[in-house]
Amino acid sequence: MTLDQTVERPARPTRYLRFAAFRSAAARAVVALDVRTDRPDDFQGALSGRASGDVQLLTIAGDAHSVHRTPSLIAKNPQHYLKFTVLEQGSGTIVQDGGENRLAAGDMTVSDTGRPYSIVCGDDTRISVVMFPKKMLALPGPVIARAAATPLDSASGIGALVRPYISSLAQQACDFEPHTLHRLSQNALALVSTLLESHGGSPVVAGTQETLLHRVLEYVDEHLAEPELSPGMIAAAHFVSVRYLHLLFSDRGTTVSTIIRNRRLERCYDELLNPLHAARSVSSIAFDNGFVDPAHFSRTFRAHFGVAPSSLRRRRP
């Protein structure tokens, strides 16, 4: 279950819960999780969050506990998200893909909800989390795999920029207007993507598949308004075969058509929230972003975000 995309929720924990309530809230926050503690009778914890489009922002605090994304939960609820975590306070351990690493206050890490993982938190732990569908980054599998369940440097380089941004965004999300929060959330994705690409000292090299991928994504963004945008059009513009283009994205767990559709939906979401576009109709925004059928757009938008485009606009402050 995802958090509501428009309701105002405090981004910082304000009310502590007993274990049963905390366990229920954590198990339903974005992806299904099994939550455990050795001291259920005197446990206190808090979880709150806010969603913006496909991006989920959470803050979690509590006594010693552990969360587990088990094979059975993945089979029943195959939600493929990347969970980027900043350990603000306390200590913990993260386990995924056979790796186990200790985390201290200030550490950052990422986990892939499409594969089993566990996070064990000590007493008085507080974390900030940003979660988003894995396919939004379109990063190669090895890039994500080498960063999973490892402490990411937050003291220097890109990490020193990412940590305070993610922490501030998660903790202050309730203070922003929906349109502003959406823009800031997209910036968070760009920062996380850059950090993961640079992890391990292997930045993107010109001439690689990653360079072509970035060029393709830029081309898609520049031509979203054109209804005829298609894999064939994109392949021709980059002098590659359609088959090769499909392979480029299938290696990253997505498809060309999915990327086009999702980026169109994200742009529509942004414009529906933007006060500068208040005078434009929902249909006009859909047409200007490459959709040709208002009814189809409305169904697709609702299926993707869980809210109708007209309802999203009505709830805008």
Side-chain angles (χ1 to χ4, degrees):
M1 184 183 80
T2 60
L3 300 177
D4 185 85
Q5 272 71 21
T6 56
V7 66
E8 296 293 330
R9 299 176 186 238
R12 57 182 67 84
T14 56
R15 183 171 64 87
Y16 276 82
L17 306 171
R18 301 306 297 264
F19 181 67
F22 178 85
R23 185 176 191 272
S24 177
R28 293 181 290 108
V30 190
V31 297
L33 296 169
D34 179 21
V35 185
R36 307 171 191 170
T37 184
D38 292 332
R39 306 195 311 269
D41 294 337
D42 58 0
F43 178 90
Q44 287 191 321
L47 181 152
S48 58
R50 188 177 175 191
S52 181
D54 285 326
V55 181
Q56 316 282 338
L57 299 163
L58 302 168
T59 56
I60 304 169
D63 297 330
H65 67 283
S66 60
V67 297
H68 306 272
R69 181 81 168 139
T70 64
S72 60
L73 287 176
I74 293 172
K76 294 176 184 176
N77 302 277
Q79 302 137 307
H80 297 282
Y81 280 76
L82 287 184
K83 179 180 181 180
F84 187 83
T85 301
V86 179
L87 185 59
E88 308 285 2
Q89 175 181 303
S91 62
T93 302
I94 184 168
V95 180
Q96 187 166 48
D97 296 337
E100 178 175 333
N101 285 286
R102 292 283 297 169
L103 300 173
D107 283 341
M108 306 180 296
T109 192
V110 65
S111 46
D112 183 348
T113 70
R115 304 196 304 276
Y117 72 85
S118 296
I119 299 178
V120 181
C121 299
D123 277 328
D124 298 322
T125 297
R126 181 167 56 86
I127 64 175
S128 299
V129 176
V130 58
M131 293 184 65
F132 44 87
K134 182 178 177 181
K135 59 191 176 186
M136 287 187 74
L137 294 189
L139 289 175
V143 171
I144 296 172
R146 74 184 179 209
T150 62
L152 301 171
D153 181 19
S154 65
S156 61
I158 298 170
L161 299 175
V162 174
R163 181 196 168 191
Y165 188 91
I166 298 299
S167 297
S168 296
L169 183 60
Q171 294 168 28
Q172 301 181 48
C174 64
D175 300 328
F176 299 115
E177 298 294 332
H179 173 62
T180 302
L181 181 64
H182 186 65
R183 292 290 180 89
L184 294 173
S185 298
Q186 296 304 305
N187 290 340
L189 261 63
L191 286 170
V192 170
S193 178
T194 303
L195 177 65
L196 296 183
E197 283 183 336
S198 67
H199 179 67
S202 299
V204 173
V205 178
T208 64
Q209 286 187 338
E210 287 73 23
T211 299
L212 175 60
L213 177 68
H214 285 289
R215 289 175 180 168
V216 167
L217 294 178
E218 289 177 355
Y219 181 88
V220 168
D221 287 340
E222 291 170 0
H223 294 81
L224 282 179
E226 302 173 25
E228 62 271 20
L229 181 64
S230 66
M233 177 178 169
I234 297 167
H238 292 83
F239 306 101
V240 298
S241 69
V242 173
R243 180 175 179 274
Y244 183 81
L245 184 69
H246 284 310
L247 287 173
L248 184 68
F249 283 88
S250 66
D251 287 346
R252 290 150 178 83
T254 188
T255 67
V256 185
S257 298
T258 296
I259 289 292
I260 294 172
R261 182 195 67 213
N262 289 353
R263 286 169 113 83
R264 280 176 170 157
L265 289 171
E266 280 288 342
R267 186 170 292 181
C268 289
Y269 187 102
D270 182 70
E271 292 181 0
L272 286 166
L273 290 177
N274 192 338
L276 296 177
H277 296 284
R280 298 170 60 199
S281 68
V282 172
S283 295
S284 173
I285 288 174
F287 290 143
D288 288 348
N289 286 288
F291 291 97
V292 296
D293 182 348
H296 175 259
F297 164 71
S298 183
R299 290 194 300 270
T300 304
F301 192 97
R302 180 189 287 273
H304 188 83
F305 292 114
V307 60
S310 56
S311 176
L312 181 73
R313 171 161 277 181
R314 283 198 301 270
R315 296 183 192 182
R316 185 187 61 209

